[in-house]
Amino acid sequence: TRALSGSVVMAVGGYAGDLSAKSVLAKHAPRLAKMPTTNDERSSGDAITLCSAVGAAVENLDKVELTPCAAVMPNAPDSDFKLVVSDAICGAGGRLLDARGKRFTDEMATAQLRVEAMGRAKGPFRLVIGESQAASVQWLCDFYMDRKVMKKYNSSSALAKEMKVEKLDGVGSEAVYAATVMPALYSCAGGLVTGWQDADAGKVLAEAKKPIDGLFAAGEATAAPFGKLRSVTGIPLLYSIYSGRMAGRAAAGSDKPAADLRELIISCMTAPSKVVMDDDAKKEGGDAGDAEKKEEKPLEEMSQEELIAKIKDLQANGPPAAAADSGPSGISMDEVKKHSTKEDAWIVVNGDVVDVTTWIPIHPGDEQAIVAYLGQDASDEWNMIHKPGTLEKNYVPEGGKGPVLKGKLGSGAPAVAAGGGGAAAGGGLTMDEVAKHNTESDLWIVLHGRAYDVTKWTQVHPGGVAPIMAFAGKDCTDEWVCIHKPGTVEKNLAPGNPSGPVDKGPVS
């Protein structure tokens, strides 16, 4: 058993993603546990469970804000998980219409007021925006259309005909975008009690309102110190940023030594069993090359000098190259498309070609969730719902009941844009080609086996330029998944987002 000690910042989200009978919602707000949610399974109340075990106080666990703009996903209409449609579409002129095509609320009202209005109106409800008004949020409309939760109609009358009404209230005659929406769980207002004043700011408090030494919390893991304001668009995100900075400052200013972020990331990665320095290899009669063949000691057993040397090596050379895949590789997309029936079912997820034939009947999310993407690339939809590694941990050998890895997507993948070059013999780019693009004016990275040109995105990346530049021309998958939700890159891709990452194709 390994034990880590030191300051802990709980920033693991809320509890609105767990609708099970033993969940925080079921215990404190059972009526809400019956509603759909826009949170995935990671929002399971881990912060409350862990911190309550050491005496942390909690409050307002029955308070969860709802969004009126949770989109029904056509490929999984009965799923508890819904996709949030951004309020930016309402801000651009979108209209919320009831089953009669009538506008029934002020789209710029708080989420709570709009949800209450839905309770008084008759659904199904639609969020509709004209083509001219959508120009300012076109990338969002394209994003939702790609995910099949929004549809474009040649005219408002075409949508009205589908809804079996004469006309749409407050919508012109031009082409329109529309999404079917409903209320769903969105943001948790309850959670851990934290201090907000002076020396207690950012610290988790015990039942007696005394801070717990070394324990801090932020975002939806905490109870917000305000009421109805939380239902105002943008406030939950603003609160997460503010409370996160407050907890971070408090943790950094504690009497425990501050840790280097890169060292923390490295410590979370799979630890090698032994590290042998070049000098040690020479003492044993070998050379530097022999040292690579020796086992490495665990990170916790390294001296300070060895840790510094390890970090410098990772900074200079990046993580060790992954072992070559001994299985089949370079499967074309044309080949994948041939396997599109329940009796012979393949999908593509993050560059992996997977045979899901025997997995379909036992898939926890029901058959339809997979069948909708047979013979296709399901990466975007998969990453929106699942944790990294979910598919990999379920792989079985040929003949088993579960997903079978057939190999990497290769020569049949989308062609690399002009100027990309460097295609490997087996299909896709090489890491040598990616490594050439390592400057701020020409910057590529690799995530989940795909290369992305992030030159423009670096300038607008919320985390700043430095975190991306640290992995210029390298594979940053391990570090990326430690920090970001699945789908973060995909939802920002160009051309939908003109300043977003550009997908350059798979990397062999």
Side-chain angles (χ1 to χ4, degrees):
T1 301
R2 295 177 58 185
L4 300 177
S5 61
S7 298
V8 175
V9 179
M10 300 300 297
V12 295
Y15 47 90
D18 185 358
L19 307 179
S20 68
K22 296 183 179 180
S23 66
V24 174
L25 276 174
K27 181 178 179 180
H28 297 276
R31 63 182 181 83
L32 296 180
K34 299 177 183 179
M35 295 192 66
T37 180
T38 60
N39 294 248
D40 66 23
E41 68 272 17
R42 292 171 299 173
S43 298
S44 57
D46 289 343
I48 294 168
T49 302
L50 292 170
C51 295
S52 294
V54 295
V58 296
E59 64 182 13
N60 297 331
L61 296 182
D62 60 332
K63 301 292 192 298
V64 179
E65 294 298 333
L66 307 180
T67 175
C69 295
V72 177
M73 304 176 75
N75 62 319
D78 298 324
S79 171
D80 288 329
F81 177 77
K82 306 298 179 187
L83 184 67
V84 177
V85 177
S86 173
D87 268 349
I89 292 180
C90 289
R95 294 287 183 258
L96 282 168
L97 306 179
D98 63 14
R100 303 171 302 158
K102 300 295 184 181
R103 186 181 177 201
F104 60 93
T105 187
D106 178 0
E107 291 79 12
M108 299 307 294
T110 66
Q112 180 179 340
L113 290 176
R114 285 179 285 162
V115 168
E116 290 174 355
M118 282 182 164
R120 297 188 295 269
K122 182 180 179 181
F125 304 102
R126 287 175 174 82
L127 176 58
V128 183
I129 186 169
E131 186 175 37
S132 59
Q133 294 169 312
S136 61
V137 287
Q138 188 62 53
W139 72 274
L140 276 173
C141 294
D142 291 342
F143 173 83
Y144 296 124
M145 287 183 63
D146 286 344
R147 280 143 187 84
K148 298 179 174 61
V149 298
M150 182 170 269
K151 182 178 177 181
K152 185 175 182 180
Y153 296 81
N154 291 330
S155 65
S156 61
S157 58
L159 174 57
K161 182 178 180 180
E162 181 178 295
M163 296 173 61
K164 298 179 180 180
V165 299
E166 289 188 11
K167 64 177 183 177
L168 304 181
D169 192 14
V171 181
S173 59
E174 63 179 335
V176 297
Y177 297 89
T180 301
V181 296
M182 64 189 304
L185 304 177
Y186 179 53
S187 174
C188 297
L192 300 170
V193 178
T194 55
W196 278 83
Q197 301 293 329
D198 305 322
D200 290 345
K203 298 179 180 179
V204 175
L205 305 181
E207 293 292 346
K209 304 302 181 184
K210 297 291 185 181
I212 298 175
D213 186 40
L215 186 57
F216 310 86
E220 287 192 54
T222 67
F226 43 79
K228 294 183 179 180
L229 183 63
R230 191 171 182 85
S231 69
V232 175
T233 299
I235 291 297
L237 177 58
L238 178 61
Y239 171 70
S240 294
I241 294 171
Y242 182 83
S243 61
R245 289 177 175 174
M246 184 168 61
R249 282 194 298 266
S254 68
D255 57 1
K256 297 177 176 60
D260 177 76
L261 176 60
R262 187 171 180 81
E263 185 175 335
L264 285 174
I265 292 174
I266 293 169
S267 70
C268 294
M269 298 165 64
T270 303
S273 56
K274 188 180 179 183
V275 170
V276 179
M277 308 307 290
D278 288 352
D279 289 344
D280 296 331
K282 292 175 182 177
K283 289 177 183 177
E284 296 175 11
D287 57 22
D290 294 331
E292 297 177 1
K293 302 176 183 178
K294 298 182 180 296
E295 291 185 340
E296 295 183 332
K297 72 168 68 167
L299 294 176
E300 67 269 19
E301 294 180 12
M302 292 185 189
S303 66
Q304 182 176 352
E305 291 74 18
E306 289 172 332
L307 281 170
I308 292 173
K310 178 69 175 176
I311 293 170
K312 287 183 177 179
D313 176 64
L314 284 167
Q315 288 175 325
N317 304 312
D325 183 6
S326 58
S329 62
I331 300 174
S332 71
M333 200 64 213
D334 287 339
E335 177 64 26
V336 174
K337 291 177 181 177
K338 297 176 183 177
H339 305 268
S340 58
T341 66
K342 288 177 63 174
E343 294 73 29
D344 180 19
W346 289 14
I347 61 173
V348 176
V349 176
N350 296 326
D352 286 343
V353 178
V354 185
D355 183 341
V356 294
T357 307
T358 60
W359 200 35
I360 291 175
I362 58 175
H363 177 240
D366 75 40
E367 294 187 4
Q368 187 56 36
I370 297 182
V371 172
Y373 297 97
L374 297 186
Q376 304 174 48
D377 191 323
S379 300
D380 286 350
E381 289 75 11
W382 181 272
N383 290 331
M384 282 194 293
I385 301 172
H386 300 87
K387 293 180 182 178
T390 298
L391 187 60
E392 290 81 354
K393 74 179 182 182
N394 284 287
Y395 281 154
V396 299
E398 289 280 359
K401 290 188 178 297
V404 177
L405 177 63
K406 306 300 290 186
K408 292 290 184 182
L409 187 67
S411 57
V416 178
L429 296 161
T430 66
M431 279 305 301
D432 287 341
E433 173 60 23
V434 175
K436 296 175 184 177
H437 304 270
N438 60 4
T439 65
E440 192 169 339
S441 59
D442 181 22
L443 179 53
W444 291 15
I445 58 173
V446 173
L447 286 172
H448 300 300
R450 299 191 72 82
Y452 295 92
D453 182 341
V454 293
T455 308
K456 291 184 178 179
W457 197 42
T458 301
Q459 306 307 314
V460 296
H461 177 236
V465 175
I468 298 183
M469 281 300 300
F471 296 96
K474 300 176 183 177
D475 190 322
C476 63
T477 302
D478 287 335
E479 289 79 1
W480 182 269
V481 298
C482 287
I483 302 171
H484 300 86
K485 286 185 177 181
T488 299
V489 164
E490 290 80 0
K491 74 179 182 181
N492 284 286
L493 284 177
N497 179 2
S499 297
V502 178
D503 189 344
K504 306 300 289 187
V507 178
S508 299

